[in-house]
Structures are given as C-alpha cells and as structure tokens.
Amino acid sequence: MQRGSLGMFKCFMFDINDVLLSTAVSGVVNTGRPLKMAAELHPRSGKLIGLSNSNRTARRNQPVQEFNHGLVLSKEPLRDRDVFTVRIDKKVNSWSGSIEIGVTALDPATLDFPSSATGLKGGSWIVSGCSVLRDGRSVLEEYGRDLDQLAEGDRVGIQRSSRGELHLWVNGQDCGAAASGLPPKLWAVVDLYGKCTQVTVVSCEPPPPSSSSFLSSVLTEHQLFDVFNNAIVSFYHGGNANNSPASNGGLGPGALTGGMTTNDALLFHEKCGTLIKLSNNNKTAERRRPLDEFNNGVVMTNRPLRHNEMFEIRIDKLVDKWSGSIEIGVTTHNPNNLDYPATMTNLRSGTIMMSGCGILTNGKGTRREYCEFSLDELQEGDHIGLMRKASGALHFYINGIDQGVAAAQTPGVVYGVVDLYGMAVKVTIVHNHNHSDRLRRNNAIMRALSPDVGRPRPSLSLTPDPEGPDRLLFHPNCGQKAAIISDGRTALRPHATDDFNHGVVLSSRPLRSNEVFQVRIDKMVDKWAGSIEIGVTTHNPAYLQLPSTMTNLRSGTWMMTGNGVMHNGTTILDEYGHNLDRLKAGDTVGVVRKEDGSLHFFVNGVAQGPAAWNVPPSVYAVVDLYGQAAQATIMDDMVDLPPLPEDSSEGPMVMSPGSPCSVGGATTTSDLRFHQLHGTNAVITNGGRTALRQNCRSEFNDAIVISNRCLRDGELFEIVIQKMVDRWSGSIEAGVTAIRPEELEFPNTMTDIDYDTWMLSGTAIMQDGNTMRNNYGCDLDSLTTGSRIGMMRSASGDLHYYINGVDQGVACSGLPPEVYAVIDLYGQCVQVSITSSSGPLDNSLCTSNITEKSFPIHSPVAGVAHRLHSKHGKNVVLLGEGCQAVRVGGYAHGIVFSAKELKADELFEVRIDEVDEQWCGSLHIGLTTLAPPELPSCPLSGLSPSLPHLRTKVTWLLCGSEVLRNGVLQRQNYGCSLDRLTVGNRVGVKRCSDDTMHIFIDGEDMGPAATAVAKNVFAVLDLYGRITAVSIVSSSLMEEVESIKAPSLSSDSCSEGEEDITPPCALVPTIMAFLENHGKNIQLSNQNLTAARVSSYNQGLLVTAQPLARQQLFQVIDRLNPSWTSSLSLGVIGHSPDRLNFPSTACCLKRSTWLLQRDSVFHNSLKICENYGPNLDTCPEGTVLGLLVDTNSCLHLYVNGMDQGVAAQDIPSPCYPFIDLYGQCEQVTIVTNNVPAVGGESGETRCQGDMEKADMVDGIKESVCWTPPPEVNPNKTCEYQALCSRFKDLLTLPDGYFSEDAKYNLCYCESCHKLRGDEAYYKRGEPPRDYALPFGWCRFALRIKPHCEVSNALKKWHIAYHGTSVGALRRTLDHSQLLPGTSSVFSVSPVKVEGPNGYSEPEENMSPGREVPRVRLSPTMRYSGLEIFAPKVQFRDPRSHRCHQAQVGFQVCVRPGSYKVGPQTLGHSEPLDPRFSNSEIEWITKEQGGTLLYGLLVRIE
C-alpha cells in the first residue's frame, strides 16, 4: 500500500511539474511572430494626466487634491500573449483605493474618457482591488493579488492569451484567468486612481520562456508547499491537474485553486421594497426619492445565510434630511413569499434587527444598549456585518469589530435583511471580509522580514548567521493579532484591548537540550481574564497553521497555563507552580527541556519543578500572549534588554538607554507646550500640555496641534496617547515642520501641506505630502492607549522617532535648524499629553480609554481627594486622575458625578476654572440617588443633556437660585444665584446628617436647600452654559479614621429602641474582604470588596480573606446579566482558603463545604435539604444575601435582611464564606457599614421618603415593603414576570396607560414575594379592611390621573380586585374605571384557536337584551381570578414559541360605602380564601366613579 501510494504520488508530481511548465513551454517556438509592440501610452488620456519620458511615464496632477481622472491606455492594441506591464512609481496616503488595470475594446482615439476605469463600457474588463469587473459590473470576487496593497516599485501587467482569456501579472507572477471570451482587438487600460499617482511602462512582450528558473525565483517555499498541498487534495478528490487554471498559464496559488465566482455569492434578492433599485449585479441597493420618502427600502439576501457566514455591507450614501438610519438583521421569512413591510420593524414574527444601538425582536425592543456603536451615527464608507454562528448565536460587526452576542438562539434558516431607512440611501454587499486581518498579519511579518527597512539592525533570517551568535528569536510567522518587533526579540498584540487571543508566537529555531527560553512580560491590560501561557511544541512555525490559542492544538504541544500544565489540550497537572494569571509587567517566565526529556518551567527565575517527561528533542518554544498579556521580550545575556514600556522614570533623560535629554537637563521642567493656534476640532487644555479632538465620533480630522516653540538640537518632544476610539481607520500622525504656527493655515490633515513638512503616517515617512519611504521601523496605526511617541532633530539634521522610549532610527535627513513638532490627532487618536521631567507618567493601558493618572491636582484639604466618576456626559473629558472636568463642545451634555457616594456631612466642592461667555446659563449642582456605575457604557445614550432633565432617579439640585426635585420647583430665591459664578469661585454640596442638602459658595453655607434627602446619594454637577471647566478642591474623610471607627449595628436606622441589644461581639465585627486567591475569571476591585466575573459563565469562585465570626452577618449585593441561566450560590468552607485550588463551580468543592444553591443545601456536594428559602436563581438584581453562623454553630441565610432559618448545623470554627459567581450573577459587593442592606432596617429608612403616603396605613406596610431599586428592571431577572410582560406587549395596549416608574410593577410569583418577605394579607382604607396580595399574578402599575380625589383614594379607599376578559381591557382603560358591562361573569365562552396577534380570546357576550348594571369585586384574587370572571386565553410566547394560557384582571381602589358586601354567587361550598368567608367574599358596586384603576394583573399557566 505504501509503495503504491508513493509511486502514485511520484507520478502525480510529474504531472504537476508538467502543469507548471506548460505556460512557459507553450508558444515559445513561434518564428512567425510580428515585431514587438511599442511599450508606450496613447497621447489621449484622462484630464489630470501628464505624460513624459516619450509617453512611457504617466503622472496624475494634483494627487493630494484629486483622486480620479487618471485614465491612460496603450498606444496600440494588445497582441496575443503580450503582457503590458507598468511599474508603480509613486503613491500617496491621502486616499483609499489604488491602481486599476485591464483592457477595453474602445479606441482611445475617439474615447470620451470617464473619471475612472470602472466607468468604461462597451467591452471593458477591469481588475480593481481583488475584483474583476466587466463594463462596471462585478463578475469575479477574490481574484489574484489585491492591487490596493501594491507598493512603489511593484510591477503589474495585463495580458490577453491566445485563447481569449484575460490574465493579470503581478511582479512577474501570473494570477490566472480572470475572464474569458475576450474580443481580439483590445487596448490595455491603466487607471492612476486613489493612492497611485505615477506609473511607467516597462515592457510589452510575452512572458519569459524559462520555466525552472521562473519557478525558483517566483514561488517561495511556502507557496510551493501550498501548491503541492492543493494539488494533492485535488488529486485525491478525483480532479485532473490538467483541467486546473494553472494549465492555462497560471502559476500562483490563485491560479491553481481558481477564484470564487459569484454564482453562489450573497446578493440582494430581486424581490425587494417598493422604492429599492438594485444594481451592480444585485450587490448594490439604493432607495429611490431619498429626499421625499424615508421608508419602503427593505432588501433581503438571495439565499439563506450559512453557519458562520459573514453578511457584510458598506454604506455608500446617506442624506441628512431624516432621523434614524440603516437597520440590519435576519429573518426567517422567504423573500419570495414575503409581503414586504414599509419598515422591517413592522414585521411581528421571525425577525431580529439591530436598530440604533439596540436589538429588536419581532419589532419589540429586547436589548436597549447592545453595543457602543449606534447605526444612526455611522458614516459613508462604514461597514456593518452580521453572522449566525453554528451555535445559533447572532453577532453583529461594525467595521470588522465583533459587537458580541445579540441573540443566543437564532433559527437555523435565516435570510440577511437590510432596511434602508431614514438617512440610509445606498449600500453595497462586501465579500472580502477578512482582508484587513490578513493585511495586518502580512504587514507584521513583512516588518520582521525586512532588515533593510527602518532603523539599522542586524539581518533577520530563518537560518542563523554562521558568523554571529545563534540567538533565540521569535519566528516571523505569528498569530493573526500578533506582531514581531525589535529584531525578532519582542512580540506584542498591537490591539490588546480589542482582542484577547490569536497571539501565539514561536521561537525561530528548536531549543537545544538544557537551553532556557525565558521572556519578560513587558505590558499588560486589565480588560481580559487569563494571561501569558508558555511551553514547547514539535511543530515547525514555518508550516504551522497557528491556532487562536495554543491549548487548542491537539498534537505535540506542552503548555503551562494558569497554575496547570496541559498536553495536547488536555490538563495533565492541576496544581503546578506559580499561577501565571497573577503575574505583572516585569515578571519573567521560562521553559527548558533537559537532556533526560523532562520539561521544567521557571517563574521569575525560580524553577517550578518537572512538568512533563519524555518530551522529544527539537521542540520549539511557544509563548501565547493571551488575555492580559500584551507584550513580551526574550531575555538573554547577549545584549542589554530594552526598558519596560511602562518605565518612565524621571523625564526624557531616562526614556531609553542613550536617548537624548532636554537642554535644560533632567532636573528642569520643560517649557514645551502646545501652541494656542491649532486645527478647528482641536482643544488645548491643562496649561497647554494636553490636546484633544472634540466630537471624536463625528469628526476624524481638522485636529492638528503644534509646539509652542522650535525644537532644540537633541531635544526630545514626547507625547503619550491618552484616549482612542474604535470608530475610524488610521490614527495619530507625528512629525516636524519649518512653518511657524502664526503662518500656518491649518489644513484637514498635515500630510496635505506641500512644503517644509516631514511626517510619519502609519509606517510611511512623508515629505511635503509625498511618500519618501515605506515600512519605517514603527507603525503609528498600531499604537494603543498609553503608548509614547517622541521626535528629535539631531545636531546633524536627522529626524529620529522614539516609540515608548526606543529609538526607531533615522527617519530622514537634511532638516533645517528650526523646526516645530507637529501632532495630527487623526482617526482613532483622540487625546494626547506632553510628557516632561516633572515626574513619572503612568502609561498603563486602561480599558476605559479615559485619561487617568496623568496630571494630579493636589487637594488643599487633608484626606483622600475626591474624584469624578468615569461615567459622564458625552461632551465631557476628565483630566488629572478624575479631578478636573472639561466640556469640550456645545453648551450641554456636561453632567458629571462624584466617584463615590457622599457620607453624612461630607462636603463635595469644585472650583470654576474656565468660563465661556458666548453661552447663557451656568453650573447646576446637587445630589442624586442615580448610581453612575449602573449607567450604560455608551456615553451618548443614557444621560440627559442637562441636569434638570435627569429624572430617572430622585435628584435634588440648585439651578440658578431655584431648588428643584426631579425637575419640579421646590423653592425660589435660595442663596446666591449660580448664574453669577466666575473663574475662581468655589461651589460645594453637602448632605447633612439631618437628611438636608446644603449648598456652599466660596465656603459659605447657604443653608438647607432641600429636606428628606435619601442617604445613598452621589454629588452631581452639570457643566452647563457658561461654565466649561471645573476642578475638585475637596477631600473625603481620612481613610485612617474610617478604619479605626468600628461599624455599629445599633445605628440611627434602628427603630426598636435599646431593648433589642446586639451581642457585644457584633459591635466590632471583622472587616471582611475577598481573598486574592480566586477563580481565574474573577477580577477584584474597590479594595477587594467588589468581585466581578469578567469572562465566560463559570470559574467565578471567590472566598473571604477573613474567617466569619459567630453572630456576624456577612452580606453581599449582586449584579446580574440575563444572557446566562442559573445564578449565584454561596456557602462556607471549614478550612483555610490560602492553598485552595478553585474548581470551575462551587458544586465541585467536596471538602468541609456547605453550599446554598437554588433552593437546596449541599454538604460536600451531597444534597442535605430541599425547599429551603427562596430560589437563588430567581433573586433579582440588587438583592442582599447574607450568611450568619449563630452561637450554636448553625448556618443561616439572610435575604434582604430577613432570616430564612437554619440551613445547616455543626459548622466548624473557623469557617470562611465563599461565593460562586455563576451564570447570570456577574458581580457582588460586600455590604459594609457604608453600604446599607437593601430591604434591611437601614434600607427601609433610606427609601421611606420616596414611598407614596398610601404605602403606610396604620403603621402596616403594604406589598411594597421591599421594592427593587427603580433602576432595576425586574424583567431581567424573573422569568415569570418577563413572560407576563411579553404577553402584555401582545395586547398592544397604549404605553400611556401605564406608569413610567417600573418599581411599582411587582411580580407576586412564589420566588419574588418570598424575596420581599411579603405577608399574605394587609389592611387599607378608612375604616381599614383586609385584602389579600395577588399571589401567582404579576402587576403592571397604571398611570393615575393627578386630580383632587387621587390622594384621598390612595390613603382612604379600600383595595379590591376585578377579573375581566382580554377583550374588555381596552374599553376599561379608555374610561379609566370599571364600567357596567365589563364584568366577565357574563362573558364565558370556550377558548378559541390562536389569533393573528399571537393569542386567542373568547368573544364578549353582547346580547342586546341583557343589561349589566353591576360590577363585581373581591378582596382576593382567589375569587376574582376564577375562570368564570377571568376567562383564560391561549397565546404563543414570541420568545420560546411555546403555548400558554393567560388571565387578566385589575387591582382597584374602591371608595368605602360605594359597594355592598355579599356572598359568593357561584355555589361553592368550600372556602375560597381562609381569610374571607364565602358570605363576604363578593363586593357589588353600582356607582360610576366609585372605583379607581390601580394595576393590571396578569397570570399565566
């Protein structure tokens, strides 16, 4: 078998060689061929073309101002097999797109030249980028080389073969047949488009006949490997090599494998919206009459999407007339059978759409804040994509960036759909989605393989230099998101805050026995879980298809990950050595294979012991820059290591070894600043040391800044990138200019200047707008937040760039003596600051991309300085560690919050720094119960434009001299008017211990401004109108004082007096915090009081560092994510957690463990108790869970301060509380004395002032005794309430009938009412009368009209219930009261089949002869909810598609005396409710206006 296979392969290799030689051999002996065609251009050309060099060179005039009208044609028609070849002489970076080449049957002598080659008709074939177009329509995608990526010096040619086929040649390599059936008489066409500005014709002759030399010179080792692999696959699948495109003359991989035709490509379906016009082979859709019509623009794909197939479109045209813009998504509807709606969100079934920044399912909003990007803000040229994964998850992509899971379960067969709505007019389907990723990787490899580009450095080769030391370096073939720099010694993930994997790098050669491979971690990011992984592999990096993470490789691989060791993706050691996930920047890790075949790892030089045995020789070292690990450098003794990127010691002198210092020396403060003159969109702050681009998500240029003076010889001008956005392509550009700032007319971008200017853009060095040199030693587009860029003009006139203190070599020479530093805040780069010798600068990468730890403002008050929260209005920028706020645009959207809640009698004070007199209005200041951490991440949505409109939570504020509460005027003429504030004035706010708010102006107390202020409040300010900048001048209380002061359990919030004495041990409880040792997906913050799971759904175990003392209550507040199922579990362990190896979930702990999970109790993973307390999986967000071990060693669970009884006995001492952040539960915070327990005593006191008066009657609290915080949507956490809410949505009742305050929507399912601790019965009214809570129902609060009777009704009226039918709901709500004829006791009919709206209902009995004068009520839903009063209807849940039965009713207030109490009229003999006898369970009223609708009740089976 082996011999036969080998022989067959040898025979096949012979066939392949025949194929590869066929082109060179065919047609060589052709003695009758006419003379060679003239290699010249036709004198007629595009209107911007200038010809020279005997019409062999063409140049596009005004290359920076114009991008088209650069068309040239050959002087004579092409002869068969002649390759018309041109060389790219010059390119500019101002434009996208580049050279286009092809053929046309149009005679240039009579041609009316279009603006670009794609406009040629009448028999024209053009290669543009990766596409082939015929008469302007795409006929082939993903063909050959991407012409847009060709560089200066590259050669590109076009050929018509003797068979009438079109071939593209790039640098002597045939890309295969691009088209067939070409006419015999054709002229070559070259379009100097976009970046391409000059070409020269170099030849017009057949390809060289030499075959073997051609193969050896053109095909690299990798290409040959791909060629033979593809050929072997084709052979074994029954293919014939002679039938491949290569047999027609193709040699490259593209020729052997062929191109992807558009036969099965995604296109738009012929059937579309009424205003849609399709073009470009159905790849482009455009809405007609865009200025007159804004909808009827729905288009769908021509076939269903495949699993993991990207459907991506490019926005080609927008108009400014309408609001709203493009919407995109998927639908199960077949376009052939669909009656297209005006807008896709009108479709109520089988549709998931992204609209704005939210997700709509079947036209209903399911996720308000899905991602940071809003589709309404995208611009022309932006890309939007979507993909249905094989798992069923739907993802959306904005400009190639994955926005995460939008819907977890998407049907298997879905079509892509685009709604050209509002501003969106025209889009085009994009097919080459992965091109940018391939390009980034190729650029990284090319940089590593180009020793002669950039700064002088030793040659980097795949084989060691025999003359030099055989050093260990990184191989240039690396992960998709990785790059190799510093002569192969450093590996990094340039976009570490965007991607967490694809960072695998290998050594350039195998390790020798006993040779230690050691790397230093240079840079870390805090965004991800997990960190660096290191190991060895038998795979040669030259041929390895690198995986996303090395642990995915299932052969020949040994890796240390975390504190375990994995072999071929399987864990072989659970607890091994130091945990790599806890390493920091500067730490080192290493690996060695010893002569005996054992594998050992090192951490900071300390051997961790043997990890594996029988490891074969000749293994390559592997480093996986995963998660937090962003950059690593190989350590050896041959040369000094470069400094850590984060090192910034004492100014420019120590930025790098040997780097130039300022003239003034390291001890003097540099006077370099940004000049006051700058680009239109630039803003200079912080005394001239900080520059930022305002409106960074809508403007990408016009933000040039320049130094305030010339650079001295040898002086380093260095800036640090402080903020970036992901919206644009391109990034910061830096350089120097000899133009004085006063004489500079600031252009859009600095590369538009055509004299006395030298700039670095990406990797290109540009002089006067023209590229002098490509592939300089660094790429500015790859820099991230925290990176430093420096420029220095040497005494000899050379320009040097420094990246993170490392000299990148000479960029250009011959600079004049007086040049200014220039920074262009372009594209992604938004904010920079000048570094100086005044002190170290923190350059760590921060995930928020907000300026942090840059310019500290020292507080004049002792203590810990106050800070502003990172969540703020969209026009605000924070500086100086959050101590300064600047409004950078407009007059509004300037709201900022204190970073923490204010303590009692704590003053929060700011100073006015800047005033802009062009605006009216002034600063607003006050207190709010709105917690800024719970605001959406996207600053553009979620905050009101000004503080008086902030009404989502209770807010007290001073506006001018008026005090407002939630925008309602409380008092006038309070103190001094804030409208008179000017620069230097101080304004402060304090919440006093008597629950009053005081305002301070210049230190003077203006007296109480508001009363009954809640305890848990944040200071809030609005930089409105004239006030544009403030800085904090106050401090919080001393931390030392706080740590000494023991929290008291008998605070003023207790209401029981001194009789309820707490044991002495509880008066000084142990201060609890989480242990640093925890699950690998956990991240601690807030002094280890807060823990968050930052990845996946498990690996979230954490334990306290201190044991739990007897009678001490340990409590936590949780935060939920509804994307997962299940939730938090908690318990105690009876042994020290210091050496605990944390499993993936708590149920795997099997030693001295007591666990509370769902409604069960487990001991050592065995269930010992069921139906204990509420189900923890249904606890809503904000629930306070506590653990207490009493003096009898019994474990208790507390829910919102309520003891659920004994859960377990014989708990050992000491014991440690632990929590498993599993599934929905993503974050918990330990409740301290500063964080009152929600629902506990302090919680009741806190929300007392916010309760309606009717909630307290005769000292008995109604069902809102514990209400979730208003900002919490219970639909997120209670599945039953979410189901009821979806049914309510199906009823299509107007939103105006329902209360906007979601906290009054209560679920009375078993879990929810147990969590609140509801009692079954309460009293209400005058005289008080009992009523039962509607257990099993869900209440949606109704809006109550503010007439004079309402306050009386809520206080003095009784509570009752009324069952009704679905059909009577709207009529009842329209009249705002129960009406005779709506009582469903007269409307019983069988359940119908499902109706068109997703539910069915019985018909009302509308017999004209029947009169219904009375309305039936009951104090309990056990009677009013009977099916005879509340008939069941059947409906289908739009989410689960399951059928349910539902009932509806009303909770009403009824006027005392307006009704008559009587017996039940249904003939029941058994008691219906234990509290009410059957003789008093039915109330009858005849009075109109005697009832007030309070809530809609829904029950679902």
Side-chain angles (χ1 to χ4, degrees), residues 477-491:
N477 185 24
C478 54
Q480 293 180 9
K481 308 297 184 181
I484 308 299
I485 60 174
S486 301
D487 303 334
R489 297 178 59 214
T490 298

Side-chain angles (χ1 to χ4, degrees), residues 979-1038:
D979 294 338
R980 301 176 182 176
L981 295 177
T982 186
V983 174
N985 287 138
R986 303 194 321 273
V987 187
V989 62
K990 177 191 290 188
R991 183 201 172 279
C992 297
S993 55
D994 60 353
D995 297 343
T996 60
M997 178 179 77
H998 288 239
I999 302 296
F1000 289 74
I1001 298 181
D1002 289 329
E1004 180 182 354
D1005 188 352
M1006 298 288 104
T1011 59
V1013 177
K1015 293 190 184 305
N1016 302 83
V1017 291
F1018 291 77
V1020 60
L1021 298 94
D1022 187 1
L1023 276 63
Y1024 185 81
R1026 298 168 51 250
I1027 308 302
T1028 60
V1030 298
S1031 56
I1032 297 176
V1033 294
S1034 60
S1035 294
S1036 62
L1037 302 178
M1038 295 290 287

Side-chain angles (χ1 to χ4, degrees), residues 104 161 1338 1489 1495:
T104 182
S161 72
C1338 183

